[in-house]
Amino acid sequence: MGQHVKVQELPGIGTRYDLAAGRVPQHVSVVVHKDGHREIYAFESSTEEPTSVIELTADQARLLGAVLSGSYVVD
């Protein structure tokens, strides 16, 4: 699984993770900032500009991760 993720340290900012999406040339980048908030960038083509950006707090990111992994349970 790790071979599909490119990791880049962003000095003074945090870490960027680049993942291939469903179709080429789609990809997603996630920036995890040192203060805990995250930004998700979606790219539809090979251009440098994302088609959408979502900003999440650390708690929102954990909730989204639980939903995406299938571990979120409704009370």
Side-chain angles (χ1 to χ4, degrees), residues 31 33 35-41 52-58 60-61 64:
V31 176
H33 289 258
D35 68 2
H37 83 275
R38 275 88 163 143
E39 297 166 345
I40 302 171
Y41 298 86
S52 62
V53 179
I54 299 171
E55 294 186 30
L56 301 169
T57 64
Q60 291 169 325
L64 177 60

Side-chain angles (χ1 to χ4, degrees), residues 1-64:
M1 184 169 166
Q3 70 268 20
H4 301 292
V5 178
K6 179 182 168 190
V7 180
Q8 178 183 2
E9 292 300 319
L10 303 174
I13 298 171
T15 307
R16 175 180 171 168
Y17 300 88
D18 293 306
L19 304 89
R23 298 174 302 172
V24 174
Q26 288 181 332
H27 74 278
V28 174
S29 293
V30 177
V31 176
V32 179
H33 289 258
K34 291 183 179 215
D35 68 2
H37 83 275
R38 275 88 163 143
E39 297 166 345
I40 302 171
Y41 298 86
F43 297 86
E44 286 291 333
S45 65
S46 59
T47 65
E48 295 289 324
E49 293 297 317
T51 55
S52 62
V53 179
I54 299 171
E55 294 186 30
L56 301 169
T57 64
D59 287 340
Q60 291 169 325
R62 279 189 286 280
L63 179 59
L64 177 60

